Amino acid sequence: MTQTETHRQTATQEGPAAHDGLVLQEAPRGGPGLPQERRLVTEVPGPRSRALAARRSAAVSHAVGSSMPFYAAAAGGGVVVDVDGNSFIDLGSGIAVTSVGASAPRVVEAVGEQVAQFTHTCFMVTPYDGYVAVAEALNEITPGDFEKRTALFTSGAEAVENAVKIARAHTGRTGVVVFDHAYHGRTNLTMAMTAKNMPYKEGFGPFATDVHRAPLSYPFRDGVDLEGNPVDGPAAAARAIAVIEKQVGASNVACVVVEPVQGEGGFIVPAEGFLPALLEWAHDNGIVFVADEVQSGFARTGAMFACEHEGIVPDLVTTAKGIAGGLPLSGVTGRAEIMDAPVVGGLGGTYGGNPVACAAALAALATVREDGLLERATALGELMTTRLRALAARDPRVGDVRGRGAMMAVELVEPGTHVPDAALAGRVAKEAAQRGVMVLTCGTFGNVLRFLPSLAMGDELLSEAFDVLDEVFAGAAA
Ligand SMILES: Cc1ncc(COP(=O)(O)O)c(C=O)c1O
């Protein structure tokens, strides 16, 4: 008997009582009270999800995709419950967003209070304290012991765009350097900065100009140099710098934008020394160094920001995703003299630093601090590393295990080669979902499985998710 069957048999009658059209009469209540369990009561997707999919197909642009075939009814901690009453262990956290847990209690409370107080005034019209408090907090928690400023926005892409605007205003230069495999968003400028064409850029050009791509440090795929030496971090940085100097010219570059651990590109951790060498070169040449910590930041890697693992202090840091426990908020934080360079009124946006999102961010930060989530990220990372290394030791299709803290991944390949196996990654993710575990794929080659559990998840639930993954890898479907 498979675990799926076991879980179906032992499933409780919680969840929807009857299939009454599409309205869920007894929707489970999200938040902390939601049982932290994997529980399957229907096939996946179940009938309600299938009915919603049919409605969606007629109503929602087919250009918007979804990884999972089921529809959410509630979420809490590290689980998502669907409209059919199935409870899934969530290893994706809405793409690294619900790091403090879905509907985390402090976030729910703070949002409720703020909504009752005021939902919006527009900080550019009538400012409010929450925005200032989030700016103070980001100035405090980002690396660097110097005077800082913060500007708040709504999405990660917006934060990245604004970092570029600020760097251009500060330097009077226009060139932007980004890296292979980078992902920075889907707006016009950030599409130009994002490496992968399909599906992010296909048919959407022309793209913003003066964006230049340099080679990244990608330890699993870097191989050896002309003399047969492994391309270590400093060598990879020298390779990138040579490309920039030859193809752009350092004096034309306003900023270098880099993800300290690449997210969508495949959870690539650059070799040690790559980021420090790049930073030093940027500073020698008057270039603003921007760490895009949208995915890797805010406790995810066991440090507040991933660049701390290499001890580097960026000039600007972009944040989003995890910072507000699920509400849309993003920011650019950095050196005061750079942040203050644009003209007054040059930065902003109707919703930037929305008061509800700011209240959520302050509550999320309190949760990280008071619940010891930095330590939890490290502990979850150790658990995942142990499980993934054991999997890699017995399954040659797992070519690489990498990541930092609770931002882990495996790169899947044809055994004994580096040939990407995207089909396998897709099959594993699909089969895992059918067994009650949500896993996301990523990577330029689509062959990476990434693991981003909520930092509020307990060891037992996480271990159960990896038991399921082991079964999936061992099973015929994989
Ligand atoms: C590193 C990085 N930068 C920017 C973005 C864009 O963020 P958003 O989707 O909120 O615009 C993402 C999103 O995945 C990201 O991972």
Side-chain angles (χ1 to χ4, degrees):
M1 185 184 287
T2 66
Q3 281 217 17
T4 314
E5 286 160 344
T6 310
H7 275 259
R8 273 193 200 139
Q9 287 197 351
T10 57
T12 68
Q13 292 310 307
E14 290 171 25
H19 288 193
D20 42 8
L22 295 179
V23 183
L24 200 60
Q25 293 298 305
E26 292 177 32
R29 217 176 143 75
L34 207 56
Q36 297 298 292
E37 64 181 5
R38 181 173 68 102
R39 184 188 68 226
L40 295 176
V41 295
T42 70
E43 70 279 17
V44 176
R48 288 164 185 271
S49 280
R50 290 201 302 273
L52 276 166
R55 265 175 62 200
R56 169 195 178 139
S57 180
V60 178
S61 163
H62 292 195
V64 181
S66 297
S67 308
M68 298 297 143
F70 50 86
Y71 283 69
V79 301
V80 173
V81 175
D82 77 2
V83 288
D84 290 287
N86 300 301
S87 177
F88 298 85
I89 305 175
D90 182 5
L91 298 185
S93 296
I95 319 188
V97 170
T98 51
S99 301
V100 294
S103 296
R106 290 183 192 80
V107 172
V108 171
E109 197 187 330
V111 164
E113 278 170 17
Q114 182 58 49
V115 167
Q117 212 59 27
F118 58 94
T119 53
H120 177 84
T121 59
C122 186
F123 192 76
M124 298 184 304
V125 178
T126 313
Y128 39 84
D129 153 341
Y131 188 118
V132 178
V134 170
E136 287 167 346
L138 285 170
N139 294 347
E140 185 200 327
I141 64 175
T142 47
D145 191 15
F146 40 73
E147 198 178 342
K148 290 182 210 152
R149 305 271 192 271
T150 287
L152 298 179
F153 306 96
T154 309
S155 69
E158 237 189 312
V160 173
E161 285 232 7
N162 278 282
V164 171
K165 284 160 65 173
I166 294 162
R168 283 176 169 166
H170 172 72
T171 58
R173 306 171 182 174
T174 55
V176 176
V177 169
V178 291
F179 289 85
D180 285 337
H181 313 286
Y183 183 89
H184 297 293
R186 296 171 182 260
T187 57
N188 188 263
L189 176 56
T190 57
M191 274 194 294
M193 297 170 71
T194 289
K196 193 172 172 179
N197 178 55
M198 201 62 158
Y200 309 122
K201 303 159 76 162
E202 177 69 16
F204 297 150
F207 303 111
T209 55
D210 222 353
V211 176
H212 308 273
R213 198 163 305 285
L216 183 78
S217 163
Y218 189 163
F220 181 60
R221 295 191 175 274
D222 266 348
V224 293
D225 66 15
L226 292 177
E227 284 156 15
N229 301 315
V231 181
D232 61 10
R239 181 177 63 185
I241 290 164
V243 167
I244 303 164
E245 288 185 336
K246 283 206 169 51
Q247 298 183 9
V248 194
S251 62
N252 296 314
V253 178
C255 57
V256 168
V257 184
V258 65
E259 298 157 83
V261 176
Q262 270 198 341
E264 304 302 302
F267 280 30
I268 302 162
V269 184
E272 198 182 330
F274 176 77
L275 294 170
L278 207 59
L279 178 75
E280 192 184 337
W281 172 82
H283 283 176
D284 287 348
N285 289 280
I287 295 166
V288 176
F289 186 95
V290 183
D292 182 353
E293 293 259 15
V294 164
Q295 190 152 170
S296 59
F298 208 72
R300 173 54 55 190
T301 65
M304 204 47 110
F305 293 95
C307 54
E308 292 170 42
H309 294 287
E310 284 240 45
I312 60 161
V313 179
D315 300 309
L316 301 181
V317 176
T318 56
T319 49
K321 290 189 181 281
I323 70 170
L327 274 85
L329 185 74
S330 66
V332 184
T333 301
R335 292 179 186 275
E337 67 275 19
I338 301 176
M339 290 296 299
D340 289 342
V343 295
V344 175
L347 303 179
T350 305
Y351 294 111
N354 168 271
V356 183
C358 285
L362 294 170
L365 183 57
T367 304
V368 168
R369 285 181 165 149
E370 288 161 32
D371 292 358
L373 295 189
L374 284 171
E375 294 74 27
R376 275 306 289 158
T378 304
L380 293 169
E382 281 163 8
L383 196 156
M384 290 194 283
T385 304
T386 304
R387 295 296 301 258
L388 293 171
R389 285 200 179 137
L391 175 66
R394 61 178 186 272
D395 194 326
R397 297 170 300 179
V398 179
D400 195 23
V401 176
R402 59 178 179 248
R404 287 196 192 278
M407 185 174 184
M408 292 296 304
V410 287
E411 179 157 355
L412 305 181
V413 292
E414 290 175 13
T417 74
H418 279 54
V419 178
D421 193 344
L424 175 60
R427 284 200 306 280
V428 171
K430 189 171 175 207
E431 177 69 18
Q434 275 156 6
R435 292 172 184 237
V437 175
M438 296 166 64
V439 182
L440 304 178
T441 60
C442 67
T444 297
F445 312 110
N447 64 327
V448 176
L449 293 172
R450 57 175 149 175
F451 307 102
L452 294 157
S454 149
L455 308 182
M457 189 180 287
D459 288 356
E460 217 177 295
L461 199 64
L462 188 64
S463 297
E464 183 179 339
F466 279 87
D467 291 344
V468 171
L469 277 172
D470 284 349
E471 282 174 27
V472 170
F473 270 94

